[in-house]
Amino acid sequence: MTATLDGAAQSTEISLAQAVNRALRDAMTADEKVVVFGEDVGVLGGVFRVTDGLTRDFGEQRCFDTPLAEAGIMGTAIGMAMYGFRPVVEMQFDAFSYPAFEQIASHLAKMRNRTRGALPLPVVVRVPYGGGIGGVEHHSDSSEGYFVATPGLHVVTPATVSDAYTLLRAAIESDDPVIFMEPKRLYWSKDRLDTVGPAIGQAAVRRQGTDATLIAYGPTVQTALEAAEAGAAEGYDLEVVDLRSIVPFDDATVTASVRKTGRAVVIHEAAGFGGTGAEIAARVSERCFHWLEAPVRRVTGFDIPYPPPKLERHHLPSVDRILDAVASLQWEDR
Amino acid sequence: MTVLATPDKTGSGFPLGFDAILDPSPLQYLDEHGALSGALRDDAPELDPKELLATWRAMVIGRRFDVQATTMVRQGRLAVYPSSYGQEACEIGAILALRPTDWFFPTYRDCVSMVTRGIDTVETLTLLRGDWHCGYDPQRWRTAPQCTPLATQAPHAAGLALAAKLAGDDTVALAFCGDGGTSEGDFHEALNFAAVYQAPVIFFVQNNQYAISVPLAKQTRAAALAHKAVGYGMAGVRVDGNDVIAVRRAVAEAAERARRGEGPTLIEAVTYRMQAHTNADDASRYREESEVDYWKVRDPLARLETYLKAAGLLTDDVVAEANQVAEELANDMRARLGEEPEVDHRDMFAHVYAEPTPQLLEQAAALQAEIDAAQLDAAQLDAAELDAEGEAAR
Ligand SMILES: Cc1ncc(C[n+]2csc(CCOP(=O)(O)OP(=O)(O)O)c2C)c(N)n1
């Protein structure tokens, strides 16, 4: 991937939402088959302004508003991809992707497989997800588990400004469908942008440590880092792994980290029961059993529909809860 | 002409033809006795004898295919076969009206259309035999994999048509759908998208009166399914779905409209499902034999044949040739579908992603080891048996 930013832009900080916008722009400039569509993505620039200015700068044929119909958006994207386009569609909010789920599960995920590779679908589905922004009902779901449980999809989720850019560029360049989960509470977080990044399927060690591994992705990476800082004060030297890509899963990085530390806590916002964390905990147990000093713990949202804004602080994984989990990891010497 | 609603060329964008919409009688060229019908008699000189004979020939072959496939499911050579016997006017008329470069989106019931497109019979039946999900190359045939979830192919057709339009091509997409499928949300979203974008797509509803056991009356309160076009602001046409001339013309006109940039058309073809839904269905539980009898005399193939014979177009030679080709196709199906299919377990992992994930590579390797071990066991068992036999012989 070529870096497309000039030096000046690289030295200034931009938000994660702007990084996504930049990735869309650069992809649209690089390949005229890239089209962006969804609800309100045109003139308004999306409800989170992620697609700001794309219609103005690329025209209505490249970035356009659709009728209010998620199955229609998804199904139309599939048809366009069958004809050689590379659609990047937006589901306005996590829970509003559910009407499109039939199209995603039955067609998007399976077309390559059922046609033995003759019809790849290079579609990117951008899903703003997760809570912590005071949204009302249906605006804060962590829906990644549904996609993760659907073979044929890649599922990625950035936690940093640079990853938002590089992962989205990689997603658009991928010949497979990618569910691009955007942690909406990080939309406004700012950082300097590095436009060169790793491929889909590679986790990052965000913080080195020797006592336990915190495994997080998307919105919980920041919480995990804060917990690691707070844990240092309590005498724990915590490593933080940011998955970035849930499918494919980077077993190598996770396994190496847990074998080094001997302890692991998995953190995500979605409900724990049947959630992505269960899969991760199982994989870690299978691969690191003889290195583990304690069972793998999970810190997740409760097994409830996402609560109203006034209660969400109780639901979301917190620094305290993470540290409690760390403390429970059978430390004989403490 | 019974085009119910066509886009207004005056600029308001509102479809014309509301008077016609209230008339639910279908467009027809040949009545059920095979005679040129009513007001359309004047149109007769336009009928091209060559085209009529080619259509008839395709119907003879298509029906033979359907009958043979039904036989093979009875013999256990196919897992399931949803027959389109009696729907050949739709299956064949629609396909023959398209160019080979146009895209086609079939459902599970539309094997006859696919064979008419030129797709190999065994490749057509790969899905229903259970060997793989799609047996043909969709790009080569411009035919999407047959769709099982109802109406979900309709938005794909709309999207593909939109893409063709954006690319500046004159490609048209045609999606088949059943009467039951018109109740699904995806059907409505597809029509709406197509109309809003003026996408060059044809939604072709084969109203064969039943969705498994549920009759049309329980599917909709609309007087005709073609009426649904009005609400979306697109052309709507209702044709006699057992009149192949009417079907072929309606589709050809819709395709021309689409190529002219006048957007999508909804075609409702009124026909009948002569067989049960599939072999697993007991149609006697929900319909009277007398109803089937009513439709028997409206048979699309017999109807065209009667007309062609009366017009002196169907010579013995032509009939003999078509029957011979149909028999050869059936024999070939019998032979090739009778063979044990070869399936490769590695295919399960090969096409999930462009590059298999590390997880898939591990699983594929584990399965391979399992299979190798089983083969080794079997070989050792064979060897042991041979030894034992040798021992006994000595
Ligand atoms: C979304 C969905 N729901 C249910 C089914 C099960 N099903 C298969 S065929 C069928 C009836 C379809 O009837 P219709 O659309 O009229 O088509 P026909 O079979 O008559 O050609 C049903 C309910 C399905 N395939 N997809």
Side-chain angles (χ1 to χ4, degrees):
Chain A
M1 195 185 303
T2 49
T4 46
L5 285 182
D6 51 35
Q10 273 180 12
S11 64
T12 55
E13 296 202 332
I14 62 169
S15 71
L16 190 142
Q18 285 170 323
V20 176
N21 182 282
R22 190 80 56 102
L24 290 171
R25 272 172 195 283
D26 289 351
M28 290 171 88
T29 305
D31 182 356
E32 62 174 18
K33 291 294 185 193
V34 176
V35 286
V36 172
F37 56 97
E39 294 158 10
D40 301 297
V41 299
V43 179
L44 180 68
V47 292
F48 293 105
R49 304 294 178 273
V50 169
T51 54
D52 198 23
L54 295 182
T55 299
R56 184 192 63 221
D57 298 341
F58 292 91
E60 266 199 60
Q61 302 224 326
R62 303 287 306 283
C63 176
F64 49 90
D65 290 318
T66 64
L68 265 163
E70 290 76 15
I73 293 169
M74 204 57 254
T76 309
I78 290 169
M80 292 187 78
M82 288 170 78
Y83 205 75
F85 280 70
R86 303 184 90 86
V88 183
V89 298
E90 177 177 302
M91 297 285 127
Q92 200 158 66
F93 282 90
D94 33 50
F96 304 138
S97 66
Y98 304 150
F101 198 67
E102 156 71 37
Q103 286 290 345
I104 293 172
S106 293
H107 297 295
L108 185 67
K110 292 180 181 167
M111 194 68 86
R112 169 188 288 281
N113 186 56
R114 66 212 275 224
T115 63
R116 284 195 168 94
L119 283 184
L121 292 182
V123 176
V124 177
V125 187
R126 294 183 35 246
V127 186
Y129 82 116
I133 61 161
V136 296
E137 220 194 350
H138 309 296
H139 290 74
S140 300
D141 284 19
S142 290
S143 39
E144 69 273 18
Y146 304 115
F147 304 118
V148 165
T150 305
L153 304 173
H154 289 315
V155 183
V156 302
T157 176
T160 70
V161 165
S162 295
D163 277 359
Y165 179 92
T166 54
L167 278 178
L168 184 52
R169 289 298 305 270
I172 296 171
E173 277 172 19
S174 167
D175 283 335
D176 286 318
V178 180
I179 309 292
F180 191 80
M181 307 291 302
E182 297 175 7
K184 61 173 97 73
R185 81 166 122 117
L186 297 183
Y187 268 147
W188 302 278
S189 67
K190 289 198 159 188
D191 203 348
R192 277 215 299 278
L193 175 65
D194 180 357
T195 57
V196 182
I200 289 173
Q202 291 178 11
V205 178
R206 293 283 175 216
R207 186 185 196 279
Q208 298 281 346
T210 53
D211 291 346
T213 303
L214 306 181
I215 302 165
Y217 56 83
T220 55
V221 172
Q222 192 53 41
T223 321
L225 286 168
E226 286 163 23
E229 285 307 316
E234 294 180 22
Y236 297 111
D237 184 13
L238 300 173
E239 180 143 312
V240 176
V241 173
D242 171 2
L243 290 180
R244 299 203 275 216
S245 167
I246 312 177
V247 182
F249 188 82
D250 186 352
D251 280 307
T253 299
V254 172
T255 302
S257 174
V258 178
R259 286 185 182 181
K260 181 178 85 175
T261 63
R263 292 179 169 87
V265 178
V266 188
I267 307 150
H268 61 58
E269 287 187 18
F273 197 90
T276 305
E279 171 64 28
I280 299 168
R283 302 188 81 78
V284 169
S285 302
E286 285 164 2
R287 275 149 216 274
C288 309
F289 186 72
H290 295 294
W291 287 262
L292 283 173
E293 306 285 343
V296 180
R297 287 290 311 267
R298 283 173 290 160
V299 178
T300 69
F302 298 124
D303 298 331
I304 58 169
Y306 198 86
K310 288 202 174 136
L311 293 169
E312 66 180 345
R313 68 182 192 284
H314 297 301
H315 173 74
L316 294 171
S318 62
V319 168
D320 284 349
R321 245 175 237 165
I322 294 169
L323 288 179
D324 284 350
V326 169
S328 77
L329 295 175
Q330 302 183 9
W331 307 91
E332 275 156 27
D333 46 347
R334 282 173 214 255
Chain B
M1 223 27 245
T2 44
V3 173
L4 298 181
T6 53
D8 177 12
K9 298 200 196 66
T10 62
S12 76
F14 209 76
L16 299 172
F18 273 127
D19 301 349
I21 291 159
L22 300 174
D23 171 15
S25 62
L27 168 65
Q28 193 187 59
Y29 284 80
L30 284 181
D31 67 18
E32 64 251 49
H33 311 297
L36 285 183
S37 78
L40 295 161
R41 232 169 268 155
D42 303 342
D43 216 6
E46 271 188 49
L47 297 176
D48 171 6
K50 259 199 199 144
E51 183 180 300
L52 289 182
L53 282 175
T55 307
W56 171 83
R57 186 175 180 277
M59 287 173 87
V60 169
I61 294 166
R63 174 159 294 182
R64 190 66 189 84
F65 167 88
D66 194 273
V67 169
Q68 187 60 40
T70 302
T71 307
M72 311 238 37
V73 80
R74 286 202 195 104
Q75 295 169 349
R77 293 293 178 188
L78 288 177
V80 63
Y81 181 72
S83 166
S84 60
Y85 192 107
Q87 296 180 218
E88 292 88 351
C90 301
E91 293 283 315
I92 292 159
I95 276 298
L96 291 182
L98 296 179
R99 298 177 184 170
T101 47
D102 291 333
W103 270 80
F104 171 50
F105 290 74
T107 77
Y108 51 83
R109 196 175 298 289
D110 305 316
C111 290
V112 167
S113 283
M114 288 157 47
V115 169
T116 305
R117 252 218 144 175
I119 300 174
D120 172 75
T121 53
V122 173
E123 288 184 14
T124 296
L125 292 168
T126 298
L127 169 76
L128 299 170
R129 184 153 75 157
D131 301 355
W132 194 254
H133 309 303
C134 173
Y136 48 95
D137 179 350
Q139 295 283 12
R140 172 171 176 215
W141 296 106
R142 297 222 160 193
T143 300
Q146 281 175 292
C147 193
T148 303
L150 298 170
T152 52
Q153 76 283 11
H156 304 171
L160 185 135
L162 171 63
K165 181 177 158 171
L166 290 177
D169 301 339
D170 65 357
T171 305
V172 164
L174 180 140
F176 270 170
C177 177
D179 43 295
T182 66
S183 300
E184 291 277 1
D186 280 41
F187 175 78
H188 296 275
E189 295 195 20
L191 261 65
N192 193 46
F193 265 70
V196 167
Y197 296 136
Q198 290 285 284
V201 55
I202 302 163
F203 301 104
F204 189 103
V205 177
Q206 295 191 59
N207 174 5
N208 67 5
Q209 314 298 331
Y210 286 91
I212 308 188
S213 65
V214 180
L216 183 68
K218 286 199 178 144
Q219 214 63 247
T220 181
R221 288 285 289 173
L225 294 172
H227 287 190
K228 293 179 191 285
V230 181
Y232 297 107
M234 70 168 73
V237 186
R238 195 163 200 252
V239 297
D240 181 337
N242 284 20
D243 174 357
V244 73
I245 302 175
V247 169
R248 194 167 168 162
R249 291 203 156 197
V251 173
E253 280 165 21
E256 268 170 44
R257 255 197 308 281
R259 284 189 232 282
R260 281 199 305 269
E262 290 169 26
T265 301
L266 171 63
I267 297 175
E268 174 192 6
V270 183
T271 183
Y272 194 74
R273 197 192 71 211
M274 296 300 289
Q275 306 289 329
H277 175 67
T278 66
N279 48 301
D281 170 37
D282 175 8
S284 71
R285 280 178 167 241
Y286 54 83
R287 69 183 191 188
E288 301 287 336
E289 208 43 44
S290 60
E291 186 182 287
V292 182
D293 291 341
Y294 171 88
W295 284 93
K296 256 185 203 148
V297 297
R298 284 163 178 74
D299 184 82
L301 178 52
R303 188 184 300 193
L304 181 61
E305 221 159 79
T306 308
Y307 171 76
L308 289 176
K309 278 188 179 147
L313 290 168
L314 209 56
T315 61
D316 291 347
D317 286 355
V318 173
V319 174
E321 191 272 345
N323 283 333
Q324 193 197 328
V325 171
E327 271 331 297
E328 279 165 10
L329 176 118
N331 288 338
D332 176 67
M333 280 171 73
R334 212 178 291 122
R336 289 196 294 142
L337 286 166
E339 290 163 12
E340 251 335 288
E342 268 185 42
V343 292
D344 186 345
H345 61 274
R346 286 170 303 188
D347 271 356
M348 290 198 295
F349 305 98
H351 309 290
V352 184
Y353 301 100
E355 297 288 332
T357 61
Q359 289 74 35
L360 281 180
L361 290 174
E362 272 173 28
Q363 290 166 22
L367 176 63
Q368 191 61 56
E370 229 174 73
I371 289 169
D372 291 346
Q375 270 168 0
L376 200 67
D377 280 354
Q380 278 167 350
L381 212 64
D382 283 352
E385 269 170 25
L386 277 181
D387 279 355
E389 274 168 31
E391 203 79 9
R394 239 185 283 142

